[in-house]
Amino acid sequence: MTHATLAAGGLVAAVDLGSWPAATGCFAAASIVAVLRARRAEKRADTWRAASQHDPLTGVGNYRKLHESLAAQTAQDPQRFALLTLDVDSFKQVNETHGHLEGDRLLQEVGRVLVENVRGTDVVARQGGDEFSVLLPEADIDGATMLASRIEEALAAIEAGTAGAAVKEPVRASIGVALFPQDGATPDDLLESADLDLRKTKERRRAAAALLADEAPVAA
């Protein structure tokens, strides 16, 4: 029975029958039903809101969650914080060599490593593809750099490759860092700065690898 039916019953009891106890009971029941329905609606809304802010593959936050968290941080009284952005090196090759299921498993492992190595106040999110970000409230360059090193070490402990593969490859990631407010005062500016730093990291690694290749002795 709906709260509208109960309320109508209370009105009938009060006006037509003159039974105030019955009317009071109907109105009270109608109020209870209305409260229960409101709570169910609120719970459904909370469930939908949580689902809309999480990546279904890895379980971490998604781009919406990241952007909303950045917006909240930049809107507060100016306090320093850091943003890490990373992507998995040679992820396309992993997909092509071992298949998309292995690629998905690797992304899940990356998400797990990030969650296990951050603080409870940090926000981990997958922007899309193999790119992830971590928002670090009240962190400076030293804290961000320390976390980046810890993440790289943890990722190196997992491997890319199917269980039956003869050769498995250690996982590496390139990480970029942006600091608020010096590297950007808006979410978009910070994301762009972190991505630019990530690209510079990749370029330095490529240059170092090329230099090592040039210096390697040529077999006779």
Side-chain angles (χ1 to χ4, degrees):
M1 186 175 293
T2 67
H3 71 285
T5 302
L6 289 168
L11 186 60
V12 170
V15 176
D16 294 342
L17 303 178
S19 177
W20 288 105
T24 301
C26 287
F27 288 139
S31 298
I32 293 172
V33 171
V35 169
L36 291 175
R37 290 186 65 181
R39 288 179 177 174
R40 285 198 295 267
E42 183 179 356
K43 186 175 181 180
R44 286 195 297 268
D46 289 342
T47 301
W48 177 87
R49 191 178 300 112
S52 71
Q53 293 184 334
H54 284 79
D55 175 53
L57 176 64
T58 62
V60 302
N62 57 14
Y63 182 79
R64 177 178 179 176
K65 172 69 172 180
L66 174 65
H67 208 277
E68 290 182 356
S69 299
L70 282 170
Q73 284 290 322
T74 55
Q76 293 175 357
D77 292 335
Q79 294 181 354
R80 68 184 183 188
F81 67 86
L83 175 69
L84 299 185
T85 294
L86 68 91
D87 66 17
V88 180
D89 293 346
S90 304
F91 181 72
K92 182 178 179 181
Q93 183 178 347
V94 172
N95 269 335
E96 292 176 348
T97 303
H98 304 291
H100 290 283
L101 288 179
E102 175 60 21
D104 287 349
R105 185 198 68 81
L106 177 56
L107 293 177
Q108 291 170 340
E109 284 289 285
V110 172
R112 177 187 61 78
V113 165
L114 292 177
V115 170
E116 290 180 353
N117 283 275
V118 302
R119 304 168 300 177
T121 55
D122 299 337
V123 177
V124 177
R126 179 187 175 204
Q127 292 198 51
D130 63 323
E131 191 165 351
F132 293 78
S133 287
V134 183
L135 171 62
L136 308 170
E138 300 180 7
D140 56 13
I141 185 60
D142 292 335
T145 302
M146 186 180 303
L147 176 60
S149 298
R150 188 161 70 242
I151 289 172
E152 287 188 346
E153 292 177 3
L155 288 176
I158 63 177
E159 296 176 321
T162 57
V167 177
K168 291 188 178 183
E169 305 163 1
V171 176
R172 295 187 63 186
S174 297
I175 302 177
V177 180
L179 300 175
F180 176 84
Q182 54 264 51
D183 294 329
T186 69
D188 289 338
D189 288 344
L190 288 165
L191 288 167
E192 184 176 350
S193 295
D195 189 62
L196 178 61
D197 192 50
L198 184 154
R199 294 178 185 277
K200 289 180 179 179
T201 299
K202 284 185 176 292
E203 290 173 0
R204 288 194 297 268
R205 285 183 174 178
R206 291 193 189 103
L211 182 61
L212 287 174
D214 290 341
E215 293 179 348
V218 179

